[in-house]
Amino acid sequence: MRDSERARFASDGYLVVEQLFSAEEMARLRERGRELAQPGVALQSASQQVEPAVAEGNASAPSYAESLRKLKHVAAGDAVFLAHAGDPRILDIVEQFLGPDIVLASDNVFMKPPRVGSRQNYHQDALAGFFLEPPEQLVSCWCAIDRATIENGCLWMIPGSHRGGPLTPDQRAQYALGADGSEPVGAVPVELQPGGCVFHHGLTLHGSRANASALPRWGYATHYASARCRPSGDRPRDMARPPYLTMRGRRFPGCL
Ligand SMILES: O=C(O)CCC(=O)C(=O)O
């Protein structure tokens, strides 16, 4: 990694890497994702989440797969997604930020389906259910399976927001969508071609718009933590969660 890229991540809290994967590799993930997005598929420790508007009967989608908001914890039970999560092209970059001992803390195929794909409010991943100490030892890689554009709901980042540390719910509320539908001041859209990735720090505020377009916007987010992190005391018991997977390096007693 170039010094300028390391400096950009330190300053902005995210780094875009175009063409980290090929379009063919993304087509393979999409094909496997489509198989896993069928009703009743037995997904070991993974789950399918339907878009809230569809689940509540306020909207409809042309197929079950196109009603799904996300597939969660896929890598633990699927060789294709696990191979992506453990790909050295990603881990070589993550290692620059977290050091050599890396676990997969979570993974999500974010599907943002056409017409019904809902907005993701601005949030800091480290405060969104990971319960790790220290929280800044988390880095996510969001990889575009489809082309991600402003129209179909690409990610938006708030550069430098990680430097303010963990926000309180009141502070986070200031980053809500403006009454006129505008994004908060300073937010930057991250449009990507298939195979392009954005790496973001666990405290960088980011979100995404609803997908009002006719095009899908699948992205596969893999969330990595340093294996030296400890679980924080307030972690709820989550039996459905697969164990943290070693991606690189060592594990440590009392840590994740
Ligand atoms: O894909 C999205 O719209 C949200 C993704 C996200 O919040 C994440 O990768 O942390």
Side-chain angles (χ1 to χ4, degrees):
M1 173 181 288
R2 289 192 291 270
D3 286 350
S4 59
E5 292 173 317
R6 205 175 289 106
R8 196 169 326 131
F9 186 85
S11 145
D12 291 348
Y14 68 94
L15 179 71
V16 174
V17 183
E18 308 277 8
Q19 294 177 357
L20 192 58
F21 293 89
S22 68
E24 292 71 32
E25 288 174 302
M26 292 302 101
R28 176 78 193 106
L29 274 193
R30 179 162 250 294
E31 186 185 314
R32 184 63 187 139
R34 214 179 274 129
E35 289 167 4
L36 300 178
Q38 300 309 313
V41 170
L43 296 160
Q44 180 199 319
S45 65
S47 57
Q48 300 170 333
Q49 189 183 105
V50 175
E51 280 291 341
V54 177
E56 290 156 15
N58 298 323
S60 61
S63 67
Y64 179 76
E66 287 163 284
S67 75
L68 291 179
R69 179 172 178 271
K70 66 176 178 180
L71 304 172
K72 191 169 179 64
H73 297 322
V74 181
D78 186 80
V80 174
F81 282 95
L82 180 61
H84 177 93
D87 193 287
R89 286 168 285 184
I90 294 181
L91 296 180
D92 286 351
I93 294 173
V94 171
E95 185 169 341
Q96 300 290 322
F97 306 131
L98 295 182
D101 305 304
I102 302 169
V103 296
L104 184 68
S106 186
D107 62 298
N108 290 285
V109 185
F110 287 109
M111 303 160 101
K112 190 86 76 183
R115 315 274 186 221
V116 295
S118 53
R119 179 177 180 82
Q120 172 73 263
N121 288 325
Y122 285 86
H123 62 282
Q124 296 174 305
D125 280 354
L127 306 189
F130 285 98
F131 303 100
L132 309 177
E133 275 300 322
E136 59 274 10
Q137 288 293 297
L138 180 78
V139 167
S140 301
C141 173
W142 193 99
C143 183
I145 296 178
D146 295 315
R147 185 168 168 235
T149 64
I150 291 176
E151 290 71 33
N152 71 0
C154 68
L155 291 192
W156 290 67
M157 297 281 165
I158 304 203
S161 48
H162 63 304
R163 286 187 264 126
L167 299 183
T168 63
D170 281 352
Q171 288 171 320
R172 222 168 33 241
Q174 294 166 13
Y175 294 94
L177 192 66
D180 59 353
S182 59
E183 300 301 326
V185 174
V188 174
V190 180
E191 296 191 298
L192 291 169
Q193 296 294 330
C197 295
V198 56
F199 293 80
H200 62 269
H201 185 285
L203 291 173
T204 303
L205 278 160
H206 62 288
S208 60
R209 289 181 174 174
N211 183 1
S213 82
L215 297 174
R217 193 241 54 184
W218 283 23
Y220 185 41
T222 42
H223 310 279
Y224 304 92
S226 162
R228 294 170 186 267
C229 283
R230 295 179 183 274
S232 74
D234 46 6
R235 183 184 183 85
R237 209 170 153 75
D238 176 359
M239 300 306 285
R241 200 195 182 297
Y244 297 111
L245 300 175
T246 305
M247 294 283 107
R248 201 170 255 191
R250 299 173 48 207
R251 300 292 282 269
F252 302 91
C255 297
L256 297 182

